[in-house]
Amino acid sequence: MLVTFLVLSAVFIIEPVIADYPDDARVFPQLTASAVFIGSLLLLLQNYLPGPLYTFVAESVSITSSDESEVVEQAGDEEDLLDERDQKNGKDTLGSKYGYEVNETVFMVSTAVLYFVAGWAAGFLFVTPLYILGYTLWFRVNPVVGLGLAAAGTIVIYLFITYLVMPFDEGQIFDFSPLVPTLIDSTSLLLRGGA
């Protein structure tokens, strides 16, 4: 699989040059492909890397669980209480609150697939805030933080629509894009005080 990533990233580095893409259209595929190429090469050659680089590359990382090495050392009694609570209760999710145990990786992958399917069908501009709110609610993040993240995600998607001319407001099944200019115009009208 790493060799496949290596070959595909090399293709995406070379293809824009061969196909004579405009300079501004080359940037994203070449930068992304460069990151994938370097990462794949490091993973492929990890057994031959020097010590510090080997430990950085070969270290096992899970994006769904917390890393206990980053936790600041506290008093022994407090740590014991936290460990007992974590073992007793498991992860603090909305499912665990109601007695359902769902593997975090399964939850993350299944909701990501659902997000992409819903984004394809209805447009990412409309699905992104709902996905972020649902995800943060599942992990019982402070609702204010969840709303802030949803707003930030929506702004990022809107910037993609505006500056990269990506049709993320258009779904393949449901097209709400005619509503977007109306919503934006009425919002700017409200912000200006109705003038």
Side-chain angles (χ1 to χ4, degrees):
M1 186 156 111
L2 288 174
V3 173
T4 305
F5 283 159
L6 208 61
V7 170
L8 282 175
S9 61
V11 166
F12 280 100
I13 291 171
I14 296 169
E15 174 66 21
V17 175
I18 293 173
D20 198 29
Y21 286 15
D23 288 339
D24 56 347
R26 289 183 191 180
V27 174
F28 182 74
Q30 286 183 328
L31 285 178
T32 306
S34 298
V36 171
F37 185 83
I38 291 168
S40 299
L41 195 62
L42 285 172
L43 287 172
L44 196 62
L45 302 173
Q46 71 181 352
N47 293 335
Y48 306 105
L49 296 173
L53 193 56
Y54 173 80
T55 56
F56 176 74
V57 172
E59 182 178 329
S60 178
V61 175
S62 173
I63 60 172
T64 60
S65 63
S66 63
D67 184 10
E68 296 200 15
S69 65
E70 294 178 3
V71 177
V72 177
E73 291 294 326
Q74 298 177 356
D77 294 334
E78 291 178 23
E79 266 186 26
D80 292 339
L81 290 174
L82 289 174
D83 289 340
E84 287 175 15
R85 189 187 73 196
D86 287 344
Q87 289 173 355
K88 182 180 175 184
N89 296 336
K91 293 292 178 183
D92 191 25
T93 64
L94 193 60
S96 65
K97 179 181 178 184
Y98 294 106
Y100 297 106
E101 291 301 321
V102 178
N103 185 333
E104 291 179 4
T105 304
V106 171
F107 177 78
M108 185 181 67
V109 169
S110 60
T111 57
V113 169
L114 183 65
Y115 168 68
F116 283 111
V117 169
W120 170 82
F124 286 100
L125 182 65
F126 307 104
V127 174
T128 297
L130 298 175
Y131 173 73
I132 293 173
L133 281 174
Y135 196 86
T136 55
L137 284 175
W138 177 262
F139 286 104
R140 299 178 72 181
V141 175
N142 184 349
V144 175
V145 173
L147 286 171
L149 289 172
T154 306
I155 290 169
V156 168
I157 292 292
Y158 184 73
L159 291 174
F160 270 92
I161 294 169
T162 304
Y163 293 108
L164 296 178
V165 193
M166 302 293 288
F168 286 156
D169 57 337
E170 300 173 10
Q172 298 299 317
I173 297 174
F174 306 106
D175 187 10
F176 299 114
S177 61
L179 300 176
V180 174
T182 307
L183 290 173
I184 293 169
D185 291 340
S186 62
T187 304
S188 64
L189 188 65
L190 289 173
L191 291 175
R192 285 184 286 174

